[in-house]
């Protein structure tokens, strides 16, 4: 398939129904941090973008939501595909992005390089989508906080060793800070900034 064909195909077949379906799953994920979410829709984002990440971007992005991508994503047809289907443009810096997409194994040094919002407008922060190799086979992380009864265990693989520390720093500036969505294939896990994360011994 040509690069042009990759750009114009693979989006929603029924934009209203499909976007509502994914929006509901995303809202449920944010309300219930750590719960594995998924959807089964016939979308085909161009490689290397996964189905869950692609569906979330198609649902939540428009011409007013600049997106920053790193690594393999930024060098692929993914930015053109997203722009064609949603009108979203690429942000030149992390701080200017409303959404960011990181590929598996990305170096992550801090969340405060992304838009943090403000005390008055915390919703002006970024949502960071991190593609990981697996959501169930990695080291155990214990979640607690709003939307979680007692605690929740997740096991994503491929996160940097310093992720828990970076997340603690992110949560310390609440209500500012970023929200994170971990994606793999057609599955995803939401981590709103209010969530506490600890390494499970």
């Amino acid at each position: 398939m040509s690069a042009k064909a990759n750009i114009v195909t693979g989006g929603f077949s029924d934009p209203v129904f499909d976007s509502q379906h994914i929006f509901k799953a995303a809202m449920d994920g944010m309300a219930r941090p750590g719960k594995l979410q998924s959807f089964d829709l016939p979308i085909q984002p161009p490689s290397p973008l996964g189905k869950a990440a692609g569906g979330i971007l198609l649902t939540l992005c428009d011409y007013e939501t600049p997106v920053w991508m790193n690594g393999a994503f930024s060098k692929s047809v993914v930015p053109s595909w997203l722009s064609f289907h949603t009108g979203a443009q690429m942000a030149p810096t992390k701080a200017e992005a409303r959404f960011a997409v990181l590929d598996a194994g990305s170096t992550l040094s801090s969340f405060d390089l992304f838009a943090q919002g403000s005390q008055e407008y915390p919703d002006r922060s970024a949502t960071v989508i991190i593609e990981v190799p697996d959501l169930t086979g990695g080291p155990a992380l214990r979640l607690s906080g709003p939307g979680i009864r007692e605690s929740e265990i997740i096991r994503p693989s491929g996160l940097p060793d310093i992720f828990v520390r970076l997340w603690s720093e992110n949560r310390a500036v609440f209500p500012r800070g970023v929200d994170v969505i971990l994606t793999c294939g057609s599955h995803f896990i939401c981590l709103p900034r209010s969530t506490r994360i600890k390494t499970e011994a």
Side-chain angles (χ1 to χ4, degrees):
M1 185 178 291
S2 69
K4 184 176 180 180
N6 280 332
I7 291 170
V8 302
T9 60
F12 290 146
S13 57
D14 185 336
V16 174
F17 173 83
D18 293 350
S19 61
Q20 288 178 341
H21 182 73
I22 295 176
F23 184 80
K24 183 180 183 301
M27 292 303 98
D28 185 58
M30 285 295 178
R32 304 168 67 200
K35 290 293 185 182
L36 190 66
Q37 306 287 333
S38 64
F39 58 84
D40 184 20
L41 294 173
I43 64 170
Q44 293 183 321
S47 180
L49 191 64
K51 191 172 185 177
I56 291 168
L57 290 171
L58 288 176
T59 299
L60 301 180
C61 292
D62 59 26
Y63 69 94
E64 294 183 317
T65 52
V67 179
W68 185 87
M69 298 183 180
N70 80 331
F73 294 125
S74 64
K75 299 173 184 176
S76 70
V77 301
V78 171
S80 297
W81 177 81
L82 184 62
S83 180
F84 175 82
H85 289 280
T86 69
Q89 299 300 310
M90 294 301 105
T93 67
K94 296 177 182 178
E96 297 173 75
R98 294 298 301 274
F99 288 88
V101 189
L102 310 182
D103 56 6
S106 296
T107 300
L108 185 62
S109 59
S110 176
F111 285 117
D112 63 13
L113 298 176
F114 298 100
Q116 300 284 293
S118 65
Q119 294 295 116
E120 297 78 13
Y121 300 102
D123 58 316
R124 295 180 180 175
S125 65
T127 296
V128 180
I129 297 172
I130 305 176
E131 288 264 49
V132 296
D134 188 9
L135 287 171
T136 59
L141 299 176
R142 182 175 294 275
L143 312 185
S144 60
I148 301 172
R149 180 175 293 182
E150 296 184 359
S151 65
E152 185 80 33
I153 299 293
I154 62 172
R155 296 179 177 274
S157 64
L159 292 176
D161 294 337
I162 61 172
F163 180 81
V164 173
R165 176 175 66 80
L166 297 181
W167 186 258
S168 179
E169 294 170 356
N170 178 64
R171 190 178 180 279
V173 300
F174 183 86
R176 298 168 59 240
V178 305
D179 299 317
V180 166
I181 303 176
L182 306 177
T183 62
C184 179
S186 60
H187 303 281
F188 64 97
I189 290 173
C190 294
L191 301 175
R193 70 196 77 174
S194 59
T195 303
R196 293 183 290 272
I197 303 178
K198 293 184 178 180
T199 303
E200 182 73 349

